[in-house]
């Protein structure tokens, strides 16, 4: 049996919070013949893509904290097997921030 890289994760989404973004995605359709052991998350910065989470586990969720509220952030994710890292997902952009207070409250 030939073992290769995993496919890219799909369906990456992000939910903004106060100084954080909670990410989730779907596992790759193909694992290349070897189980996925990890996911890595990258964030776009001025110099290019920077690894922000490595060793997030084989669970397809992650939280990136310590972000500036109101600043647009872009993320992408890749699956890792014993063969190595696969291709990255399509990138998404999310703006962290505090929730908007409710309006039109009545007693």
């Amino acid at each position: 049996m030939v073992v290769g890289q995993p496919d890219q994760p799909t369906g990456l989404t992000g939910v903004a919070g106060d100084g954080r973004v909670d990410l989730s995605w779907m596992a790759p359709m193909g694992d290349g013949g070897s189980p996925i052991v990890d996911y890595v998350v990258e964030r776009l910065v001025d110099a290019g893509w920077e690894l922000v989470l490595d060793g997030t586990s084989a669970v397809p969720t992650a939280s990136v904290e310590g972000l500036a509220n109101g600043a647009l952030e872009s993320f992408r994710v890749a699956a890792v097997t014993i063969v190595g890292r696969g291709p990255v997902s399509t990138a998404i952009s999310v703006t962290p921030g505090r929730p908007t207070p409710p309006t039109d409250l009545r007693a």
Side-chain angles (χ1 to χ4, degrees):
M1 176 167 136
V2 176
V3 179
Q5 286 184 326
D7 295 337
Q8 71 185 85
T10 59
L12 178 61
T13 61
V15 176
D18 187 5
R20 66 182 288 144
V21 172
D22 296 320
L23 302 168
S24 63
W25 56 91
M26 294 188 308
M29 293 297 290
D31 60 13
S34 178
I36 294 170
V37 296
D38 192 12
Y39 288 100
V40 294
V41 176
E42 294 179 331
R43 175 178 162 230
L44 186 60
V45 295
D46 291 337
W49 290 98
E50 171 183 272
L51 186 66
V52 291
L53 293 175
D54 185 8
T56 60
S57 83
V59 177
T61 62
S63 294
V64 180
E65 299 180 357
L67 303 172
N69 286 336
L72 185 66
E73 298 283 357
S74 296
F75 300 96
R76 64 186 189 180
V77 64
V80 179
T81 66
I82 60 168
V83 173
R85 179 180 154 163
V88 295
S89 68
T90 301
I92 62 159
S93 296
V94 181
T95 303
R98 294 190 171 113
T100 305
T103 58
D104 292 332
L105 293 176
R106 296 174 193 205

